[in-house]
Amino acid sequence: MMYIAIVIGVFILMEGFTWCVHKYVMHGFLWCWHKDHHNPEHDKKLERNDYFFVVFAIPAIWLLYIGSRTELGLLFFIGLGIAIYGMAYFFVHDIFIHQRLKIFKHTDSPYLKAIRRAHKQHHKHRTKEQGECFGFLWVPLYYFKMYFKK
């Protein structure tokens, strides 16, 4: 039970970590990797922004490996929480929001509509300045209110 709580806790903490990395790293000193993601003219196959997937996968894989060498310990479950968050990010951000695979185009879920709308607001800004909505699974309440009151 403790390990399940660790996985869930790490998953939740990853949202705050991702928000900070998105705002201060991706829209900061590593904008050179992230800016093609804000360019609507790119071909949408591979982006420099995809480097972040690899950067985040390395510690998750390392923690899973180290944590599984003897018995499944704390490091394994921390790595598992990070890996599950990464998978959720891929499915929601890359597949559902950006349609890198043409599936899950339509939804009646107010939650998913709110996330999609907030992300659209984020992409309305083409430069690293003046950004908004840096979250992934949790966005400003305004967007949730737009869809949950209907």
Side-chain angles (χ1 to χ4, degrees):
M1 190 63 158
M2 179 183 75
Y3 288 136
I4 293 170
I6 290 169
V7 171
I8 292 169
V10 168
F11 185 95
I12 291 167
L13 288 172
M14 283 300 297
E15 180 68 11
F17 176 77
T18 301
W19 185 94
C20 290
V21 168
H22 191 183
K23 182 170 176 71
Y24 298 110
V25 176
M26 293 177 174
H27 283 258
F29 67 93
L30 283 179
W31 175 251
C32 59
W33 284 8
H34 188 61
K35 69 181 172 183
D36 65 342
H37 185 65
H38 283 263
N39 178 358
E41 269 98 65
H42 72 78
D43 65 10
K44 300 207 186 251
K45 288 187 175 88
L46 287 176
E47 308 171 342
R48 275 177 263 135
N49 186 66
D50 295 329
Y51 295 156
F52 289 111
F53 180 78
V54 175
V55 168
F56 292 134
I58 290 169
I61 293 166
W62 182 81
L63 287 166
L64 287 166
Y65 173 72
I66 297 298
S68 67
R69 291 201 56 205
T70 53
E71 60 183 62
L72 298 183
L74 177 65
L75 294 179
F76 176 83
F77 291 99
I78 291 171
L80 187 59
I82 295 169
I84 292 171
Y85 186 87
M87 287 185 278
Y89 187 93
F90 174 75
F91 284 109
V92 174
H93 180 265
D94 289 333
I95 294 177
F96 175 70
I97 293 173
H98 285 290
Q99 290 293 299
R100 289 177 89 171
L101 297 175
K102 304 294 183 207
I103 56 176
F104 306 121
K105 287 185 176 192
H106 305 287
T107 182
D108 291 327
S109 165
Y111 174 76
L112 291 174
K113 285 180 178 180
I115 288 176
R116 185 180 268 166
R117 176 67 180 257
H119 201 79
K120 190 174 206 169
Q121 279 300 114
H122 176 75
H123 276 270
K124 130 182 137 172
H125 304 286
R126 301 282 179 239
T127 65
K128 69 180 186 175
E129 293 83 16
Q130 301 172 335
E132 59 183 299
C133 301
F134 293 98
F136 162 56
L137 295 174
W138 187 257
V139 296
L141 285 175
Y142 168 79
Y143 296 100
F144 293 121
K145 290 177 182 176
M146 287 173 67
Y147 295 99
F148 276 97
K149 23 179 193 187
K150 294 180 180 178

